[in-house]
Structure formats: structure tokens, C-alpha cells
């Protein structure tokens, strides 16, 4: 009993280390580089809550991290480390924007078609990893990353190729029609209905993973694959099914970003989103409900770092440094924890 309690508190400590490390990096950079350290520290800790816009932007970032983080959690929980999140997010957003701007029909039909094709595109991108795992025992971690790395420049090229003349924006598809834009919950911030949908998805994912036989089978594949195999659980169902769901949730994140935040698909909108979502998932130990809190903490940390860069005149991207430190700390703490589940 005592050992169980000690392990519980140790896991909580490991969970807190990574965001605290990112916060410590921000503080150190402020003390070393800021002209007015006290003002910069105030911006770091309270700037995000100083206006409706900044607070809404934080919650909007949280919604995107939460949705993609659920995709990462499902994959990791089943023993499949999906590192192709960014390509899947980009593909989902690209497909949604392309359908909404090129198909001319009833708005309900176009919106539904865009949603279905968007999530289907993300799921389809995982088929290569699933197939190679089942036929060649290839590492999902490696193949998913390689597929994503190949898809991203292809989408970049497709966006550029879609332009007919030099007066059009070579960096983005046309803006989606206004009827497809999500209404804002907290104007003038980009916070929209995807925030509520992400919370609902988190609860549903929790119910599936922790309250159904399928969820228990996935957890066994993630913790004891040999036992799952000899217990008669289907390896192909685990690989194809969970990775398809993971890809679909990542693509749904791209759909949310296009309809609720950017209203177009521009090059690079996915950047950092997939890795940050994976970070949030690992902090939460792949638990959908804990992921709500970890997504909120990281959204606050990253948005505060960006606000600090904008208002304090730093000549480099603090948020990028913080992201790297947080992810590195997670890797180190997870290794020390012996593969914390």
C-alpha cells in the first residue's frame, strides 16, 4: 500500500516536471535578456488573462491541443506511437478547405462532405503504418513520421499549384465561404464551438478507453502485447483501428483549425501543433480527462511565451525553445519512470 502511494506521488511529480521546466526556462530567459525583468515576468504570468482576446486565444489553442492530443493518446494507449500528427492535421485541414471552396452545392451537404473527407484523409494516412506493422513488423513510430514528412511538402506543392495567376496568394487556399465559419464564443478572440466539441470528445474517449471491453483490450496491447496476442485479441484490429482513429482525430483538429481559427488552409498552420498535442498527451499519461488539464497548462505556457516575445522585444522565438524543453523533459522523466502508464 505504501509503495503504491509513493508511486502515485512520484508519477504526479514526473507529470509536473515538464511544464515547470518550460516555465523555468522562460523565467531564466527573462532574467538574462529582458530590459525590464519585473514587467516581463508580469507579462509571463498574467498577460494571457489581461484581455478577452488573449484568454480566448489560450482556450482556442487548448481546444486544438486537446483534440489532437486525444488522437495521440488513443495511439499510445494501444502501443502505437503515432508521430505523423502534423501531416495528418495538415491533410485534414487541406481537404476540408479544398472541399468547401471548390464544391458548389447545399451548404449542409458541403459541410458534411468536407468533415467526412477530412477525417477519412487523416485515417487513410495511417494505413501505410498499420500495413507495414502487420506485414513487416515495421515500427509505427518511424513509418508514421516518414509518411507525415512526405505528405507535408506534397500539400505545400498542391497549394502552390492550385493558383492560376500571380495575383493569388501562393501560401494559402482561398478563404472558405462565411457560412462554414464557426461562430465565436468570446469575441474578438478566435474561441469557437470547437472548444466545447473537444471537451465532449475527451469525455467520449474516456468512456471508450476505460469503460468498454474494446478500451481494456487496447490498454492490454499497450502494456503487455505478448499477453494480448496469446489471449486472442486481434493484432490487425488494434493496429488498423486505433491508428485510423488517431489519424481521424488529428485530421479533425485540422478541420477545427480551418473552420474556427484561420478560415483557410495556409502553409505551416500545423507547425508545432502535432508535437505539442503529443506533449500534452504524454504529460497526462494518455488519460483523456487529465489531458484537458495538461492541454490548458501548455496552452497557457505557449501563449504566454509568444506574448512575451511580442511585447518584450525578444529577438528569438521563446515559445519554440519552451516547446523543445518541455518535450525533452517529458522524454527524460518518462524514461526514469520506467515507461509510466
Amino acid at each position: 500500500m505504501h509503495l503504491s502511494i509513493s508511486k502515485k506521488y512520484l508519477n504526479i511529480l514526473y507529470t509536473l516536471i515538464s511544464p515547470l521546466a518550460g516555465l523555468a526556462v522562460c523565467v531564466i530567459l527573462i532574467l538574462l535578456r529582458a530590459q525590464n525583468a519585473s514587467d516581463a515576468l508580469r507579462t509571463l504570468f498574467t498577460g494571457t488573462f489581461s484581455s478577452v482576446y488573449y484568454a480566448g486565444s489560450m482556450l482556442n489553442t487548448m481546444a486544438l491541443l486537446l483534440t489532437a492530443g486525444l488522437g495521440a493518446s488513443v495511439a499510445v494507449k494501444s502501443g502505437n506511437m503515432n508521430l505523423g500528427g502534423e501531416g495528418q492535421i495538415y491533410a485534414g485541414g487541406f481537404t476540408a478547405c479544398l472541399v468547401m471552396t471548390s464544391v458548389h452545392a447545399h451548404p449542409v451537404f458541403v459541410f458534411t462532405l468536407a468533415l467526412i473527407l477530412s477525417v477519412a484523409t487523416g485515417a487513410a494516412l495511417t494505413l501505410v503504418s498499420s500495413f507495414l506493422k502487420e506485414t513487416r513488423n515495421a515500427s509505427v513510430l518511424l513509418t508514421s513520421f516518414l509518411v507525415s514528412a512526405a505528405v507535408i511538402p506534397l500539400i505545400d506543392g498542391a497549394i502552390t499549384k492550385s493558383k492560376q495567376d500571380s495575383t493569388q496568394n501562393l501560401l494559402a487556399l482561398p478563404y472558405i465561404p462565411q457560412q462554414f465559419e464557426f461562430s465565436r464564443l468570446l469575441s474578438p478572440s478566435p474561441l469557437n464551438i470547437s472548444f466545447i466539441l473537444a471537451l465532449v470528445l475527451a469525455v467520449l474517449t474516456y468512456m471508450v478507453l476505460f469503460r468498454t471491453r474494446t478500451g481494456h483490450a487496447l490498454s492490454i496491447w499497450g502494456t503487455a502485447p505478448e499477453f494480448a496476442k496469446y489471449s486472442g485479441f486481434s493484432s490487425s484490429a488494434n493496429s488498423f483501428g486505433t491508428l485510423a482513429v488517431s489519424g481521424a482525430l488529428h485530421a479533425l483538429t485540422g478541420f477545427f483549425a480551418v473552420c474556427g481559427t484561420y478560415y483557410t488552409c495556409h502553409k505551416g498552420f500545423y507547425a508545432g501543433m502535432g508535437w505539442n498535442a503529443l506533449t500534452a498527451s504524454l504529460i497526462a499519461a494518455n488519460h483523456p480527462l487529465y489531458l484537458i488539464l495538461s492541454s490548458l497548462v501548455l496552452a497557457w505556457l505557449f501563449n504566454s511565451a509568444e506574448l512575451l516575445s511580442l511585447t518584450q522585444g525578444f529577438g528569438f522565438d521563446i515559445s519554440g525553445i519552451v516547446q523543445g524543453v518541455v518535450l525533452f523533459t517529458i522524454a527524460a522523466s518518462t524514461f526514469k519512470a520506467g515507461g509510466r502508464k
Side-chain angles (χ1 to χ4, degrees):
M1 181 68 178
H2 177 70
L3 290 177
S4 177
I5 295 176
S6 298
K7 185 177 181 180
K8 177 181 178 182
Y9 285 114
L10 189 62
N11 285 338
I12 292 175
L13 176 61
Y14 285 137
T15 298
L16 294 175
I17 283 176
S18 51
L20 288 177
L23 184 61
V25 168
C26 280
V27 173
I28 291 172
L29 290 173
I30 287 172
L31 296 176
L32 291 177
R33 300 295 299 271
Q35 295 180 352
N36 188 332
S38 61
D39 186 46
L41 287 172
R42 191 179 305 109
T43 299
L44 174 64
F45 288 101
T46 66
T48 302
F49 308 102
S50 62
S51 73
V52 170
Y53 177 81
Y54 292 136
S57 295
M58 177 190 69
L59 294 177
N60 187 61
T61 300
M62 171 196 166
L64 297 176
L65 291 180
L66 178 56
T67 307
L70 291 172
S73 295
V74 169
V76 177
K77 196 75 175 175
S78 64
N80 300 295
M81 178 67 82
N82 178 13
L83 294 188
E86 299 215 330
Q88 293 153 19
I89 291 171
Y90 197 13
F94 173 78
T95 302
C97 188
L98 186 64
V99 171
M100 290 179 183
T101 55
S102 60
V103 177
H104 304 288
H106 193 280
V108 174
F109 172 78
V110 175
F111 183 86
T112 304
L113 180 65
L115 176 59
I116 293 174
L117 292 181
S118 176
V119 297
T121 299
L125 289 179
T126 66
L127 291 178
V128 174
S129 298
S130 303
F131 177 78
L132 291 177
K133 177 187 177 183
E134 292 301 312
T135 59
R136 300 294 182 181
N137 197 31
S139 170
V140 172
L141 182 149
L142 178 61
T143 57
S144 61
F145 176 78
L146 291 176
V147 170
S148 175
V151 165
I152 288 173
L154 289 177
I155 297 176
D156 286 342
I159 291 176
T160 302
K161 189 69 174 178
S162 67
K163 306 308 175 183
Q164 300 299 319
D165 58 70
S166 60
T167 62
Q168 294 178 303
N169 187 354
L170 299 179
L171 301 179
L173 291 178
Y175 283 97
I176 62 175
Q178 192 171 6
Q179 65 258 32
F180 299 131
E181 297 178 3
F182 289 163
S183 57
R184 296 186 176 184
L185 298 179
L186 199 63
S187 295
S189 77
L191 183 65
N192 56 80
I193 196 174
S194 65
F195 175 76
I196 298 175
L197 296 176
L199 294 176
V200 172
L201 284 171
V203 174
L204 292 177
T205 304
Y206 166 77
M207 296 298 293
V208 171
L209 290 180
F210 292 92
R211 294 290 186 268
T212 66
R213 184 179 183 277
T214 300
H216 289 305
L218 296 183
S219 297
I220 293 174
W221 274 111
T223 55
E226 290 299 322
F227 179 78
K229 178 180 178 182
Y230 289 109
S231 295
F233 295 130
S234 173
S235 174
S236 59
N238 175 65
S239 298
F240 283 94
T242 57
L243 282 174
V245 171
S246 177
L249 285 169
H250 279 101
L252 183 61
T253 305
F255 182 88
F256 285 166
V258 166
C259 292
T261 304
Y262 303 114
Y263 308 130
T264 184
C265 176
H266 63 80
K267 295 181 180 180
F269 84 84
Y270 61 87
M273 203 178 294
W275 292 108
N276 292 339
L278 177 61
T279 300
S281 176
L282 294 176
I283 290 176
N286 307 307
H287 193 292
L289 298 185
Y290 298 162
L291 182 59
I292 296 174
L293 180 58
S294 65
S295 297
L296 177 61
V297 171
L298 287 185
W300 167 75
L301 183 58
F302 295 150
N303 280 33
S304 295
E306 291 178 1
L307 180 61
L308 192 65
S309 296
L310 290 173
T311 60
Q312 299 300 318
F314 283 90
F316 51 88
D317 183 12
I318 294 181
S319 62
I321 297 175
V322 172
Q323 289 169 13
V325 170
V326 171
L327 190 57
F328 178 82
T329 309
I330 287 174
S333 61
T334 302
F335 175 77
K336 289 181 181 179
R340 179 167 50 97
K341 301 295 181 184

